[in-house]
Amino acid sequence: MAVIRSVASPLNCQTTCVCASDIISCPKKELSFVPSGLPNYTAVLDLSHNIISRLRAEWAPEPLKRLHTLVLSHNSISFVSSEAFLLTPQLRYLDLSCNKLNSLEENVFSALHRLEVLLLFQNQIERIDRTAFDDITLLQKIYLSHNRVTRFPLELVKDGEKLPELVLLDLSSNRLKNLPVHQLKILPAWLSNGIYLHGNPLTCDCDLYGLFWNWHVRQLASVMDFQEELLCQLYSQPRPPSQTTNVFLLNRSDGLNCSVVREAGMEAYLGETVILNCDSKQKSVNQVWVTPSNEWVQAQPNRSAGNRSISVLSDGSLQIRPIQVEDRGTYTCYAQGELLNETLYVTLTVFNFTQHVHQDTLNTAYTTLVGCIASVILVLIYLYLTPCRCWCRPGNRGQGEDRESIHSSVLSATPNHETTSDKAALSRHVAFLEPPGDLHGQNGKLKPNGSQEVPVIKGSPLQPQTPNRKLSDPGSISSVFSDTPIVV
């Protein structure tokens, strides 16, 4: 009996299943295994409400290349092999809801390259391997509600690389406590519109409030349809350890007093390339833009005016390059789709200067700073490190009757190890001459034709070899002021 139960029974379209052309329906027949002998033209296979516990590669011994819908809901499936779908390459709809799966293992669905809809709700899933959804780039909808998921699978929506066609991710009624709010805020509206998070024990904070408030302003279905079920756990000292409250009540004083979030416009600087996004709730819609000057721009080849162009990109965004001051204002995007039409507004602010400082400006600033520092250093050196004035040696002062009228100092330029005679030969004498009394009244000047003789510095080794010369001689000094130093 044990051997008989372990072998799949052959397909019986009279008593066990209903066979209608390419549709085979076998619900509520208490089947433990998938019937054997399925025809290769089978397109739809319904095995719901049975007692199947495992899904291995043997369930389809022959390729089922036409099978596009497989319903296995309301069974007792706790294990799905990664090789279970190798022979069903055209499968587009897979229903594994209401089973006993507790995890999604590595590459469990990677063989389903054409899968579009995957139903996994009402299981016991706690862990989702990061590679579970690899290589199924056509997947559009994933239903994971009513499970035990504790981590938001950010890899499914981040950058749109793993699942570029995904438009619905239902994670409602799980065990999520924290969300990657900053990553969810930057998702396009057509994807956020299908991310359902209600019924989770989320932790209350103002970032969470800002996320759902922004979605509420955009009238996204994931918030508008389940607004009353968006609850979070509020932790505060005066209250019990946790209190459940609605996310949209966190702006009240008895909540967290979160501020209302306003949608910010876009800012740009002169000369930049600006891209304005038409963040529609639908994907693959037709966008038409209207500029602040009431010009209509559609998805056509670039309209150019010299080095300037404004055009609609392939994703519906409006590109302006280079941006100018007159480009500021409110831009209107009309998104036209099959289900609804949307009108979106984007406010652009243009600053009348460039954002980046050129390298030449930085070089000039550093050069000026270095020059100022060098000037300060030179002034300090001049003030504090110049040689002190040396007083004349007593032995070199003049002796005799002219001693009181001659003030001199010696500036020696010879090294200390030279002899006294060498110093005398190379020294300089600075003398200050006082005019005689009979020259007073001429503002300190000597008479041009006077007969005053050049005084002799007594005791100086530098005695003139020529006769005394008059100050009026052509070779003499033409003008001598009072207390004027003369180098002799």
Side-chain angles (χ1 to χ4, degrees):
M1 292 295 294
V3 174
I4 293 175
R5 291 180 181 176
S6 64
V7 176
S9 59
L11 176 65
N12 188 338
C13 293
Q14 284 75 32
T15 60
T16 307
C17 302
V18 176
C19 303
S21 182
D22 58 354
I23 299 177
I24 299 177
S25 178
C26 311
K28 298 181 179 180
K29 300 300 181 181
E30 297 186 357
L31 298 176
S32 300
F33 299 93
V34 178
S36 62
L38 296 174
N40 56 8
Y41 56 80
T42 304
V44 178
L45 178 58
D46 183 6
L47 298 172
S48 61
H49 295 275
N50 283 286
I51 54 174
I52 300 173
S53 60
R54 291 176 175 268
L55 195 64
R56 299 184 181 273
E58 294 80 11
W59 79 269
E62 299 294 333
L64 299 175
K65 296 183 179 180
R66 298 184 185 181
L67 184 65
H68 59 77
T69 301
L70 177 59
V71 180
L72 292 167
S73 61
H74 294 88
N75 277 274
S76 301
I77 299 175
S78 60
F79 173 79
V80 177
S81 171
S82 59
E83 301 177 351
F85 306 107
L86 290 178
L87 300 181
T88 58
Q90 301 300 321
L91 196 63
R92 298 195 300 270
Y93 182 95
L94 176 59
D95 187 356
L96 290 169
S97 61
C98 300
N99 279 283
K100 297 182 179 180
L101 294 172
N102 55 27
S103 65
L104 298 180
E105 300 298 334
E106 180 179 0
N107 301 113
V108 63
F109 302 117
S110 297
L112 299 173
H113 301 297
R114 295 188 175 273
L115 188 65
E116 297 177 359
V117 180
L118 178 59
L119 281 69
L120 293 166
F121 61 85
Q122 198 68 48
N123 275 274
Q124 303 172 11
I125 299 174
E126 298 179 0
R127 188 181 65 86
I128 301 176
D129 190 89
R130 296 181 183 273
T131 64
F133 298 94
D134 282 358
D135 303 325
I136 47 176
T137 56
L138 298 180
L139 188 59
Q140 300 176 12
K141 298 180 179 181
I142 305 176
Y143 295 87
L144 280 165
S145 61
H146 296 277
N147 279 284
R148 303 174 183 177
V149 179
T150 59
R151 180 188 67 87
F152 183 90
L154 184 62
E155 66 275 2
L156 301 183
V157 298
K158 186 178 181 180
D159 301 328
E161 297 178 355
K162 185 184 288 290
L163 301 175
E165 301 297 327
L166 186 67
V167 295
L168 189 146
L169 176 60
D170 186 2
L171 288 167
S172 60
S173 301
N174 275 276
R175 298 181 180 180
L176 297 175
K177 292 185 178 181
N178 298 287
L179 297 177
V181 174
H182 298 289
Q183 286 79 6
L184 293 178
K185 282 183 177 180
I186 63 177
L187 294 179
W190 57 263
L191 181 53
S192 302
N193 188 62
I195 298 180
Y196 293 86
L197 298 168
H198 58 276
N200 281 282
L202 300 171
T203 301
C204 296
D205 58 50
C206 289
D207 289 336
L208 183 71
Y209 170 78
L211 173 68
F212 288 125
W213 177 262
N214 183 270
W215 290 4
H216 180 269
V217 171
R218 294 298 314 276
Q219 300 289 300
L220 301 186
S222 56
V223 171
M224 301 302 297
D225 296 344
F226 299 94
Q227 183 173 347
E228 299 299 327
E229 299 180 40
L230 282 171
L231 307 176
C232 62
Q233 302 297 317
L234 183 63
Y235 297 90
S236 58
Q237 294 298 331
R239 302 188 179 189
S242 65
Q243 179 181 357
T244 302
T245 184
N246 191 278
V247 172
F248 295 100
L249 300 180
L250 294 179
N251 61 331
R252 297 184 178 182
S253 58
D254 56 347
L256 294 179
N257 201 22
C258 299
S259 59
V260 177
V261 180
R262 304 294 182 185
E263 285 192 290
M266 188 172 184
E267 298 178 348
Y269 299 85
L270 284 179
E272 291 183 337
T273 297
V274 176
I275 297 179
L276 306 179
N277 294 321
C278 188
D279 197 12
S280 173
K281 292 186 290 185
Q282 300 180 86
K283 192 177 182 181
S284 301
V285 296
N286 296 325
Q287 289 98 346
V288 178
W289 287 86
V290 180
T291 66
S293 58
N294 292 326
E295 296 183 49
W296 288 72
V297 186
Q298 300 182 10
Q300 295 177 352
N302 291 1
R303 303 187 303 114
S304 301
N307 294 328
R308 175 175 164 77
S309 67
I310 178 171
S311 61
V312 178
L313 303 179
S314 59
D315 60 352
S317 301
L318 183 68
Q319 178 179 270
I320 308 173
R321 60 177 182 182
I323 198 71
Q324 298 177 4
V325 177
E326 54 267 23
D327 294 324
R328 63 190 176 190
T330 301
Y331 289 77
T332 306
C333 175
Y334 296 102
Q336 303 171 353
E338 297 180 358
L339 300 178
L340 56 86
N341 296 331
E342 293 181 86
T343 302
L344 305 174
Y345 301 94
V346 180
T347 302
L348 176 63
T349 303
V350 180
F351 297 104
N352 195 16
F353 54 87
T354 58
Q355 182 181 16
H356 302 290
V357 180
H358 296 288
Q359 188 65 28
D360 295 339
T361 305
L362 293 176
N363 291 340
T364 303
Y366 284 124
T367 303
T368 304
L369 178 61
V370 172
C372 293
I373 295 176
S375 300
V376 172
I377 294 175
L378 291 176
V379 169
L380 294 176
I381 292 176
Y382 176 78
L383 292 177
Y384 295 101
L385 300 181
T386 51
C388 298
R389 178 180 299 178
C390 300
W391 298 103
C392 298
R393 296 184 180 183
N396 292 336
R397 293 187 177 181
Q399 305 291 336
E401 59 183 2
D402 297 330
R403 182 174 182 179
E404 295 179 357
S405 63
I406 299 176
H407 308 282
S408 65
S409 63
V410 179
L411 301 178
S412 177
T414 58
N416 294 333
H417 62 273
E418 294 180 353
T419 60
T420 305
S421 60
D422 293 336
K423 292 181 180 180
L426 297 176
S427 63
R428 298 283 195 275
H429 296 266
V430 180
F432 298 88
L433 304 180
E434 296 181 1
D438 58 347
L439 297 179
H440 290 171
Q442 297 190 23
N443 203 19
K445 295 182 179 180
L446 299 178
K447 293 181 179 181
N449 296 323
S451 58
Q452 181 183 0
E453 295 181 354
V454 177
V456 178
I457 302 176
K458 295 182 180 181
S460 173
L462 303 176
Q463 295 294 341
Q465 302 297 328
T466 58
N468 293 342
R469 298 172 59 187
K470 304 243 176 147
L471 293 177
S472 60
D473 291 345
S476 64
I477 300 174
S478 60
S479 176
V480 178
F481 294 91
S482 176
D483 296 337
T484 301
I486 301 177
V487 180
V488 295

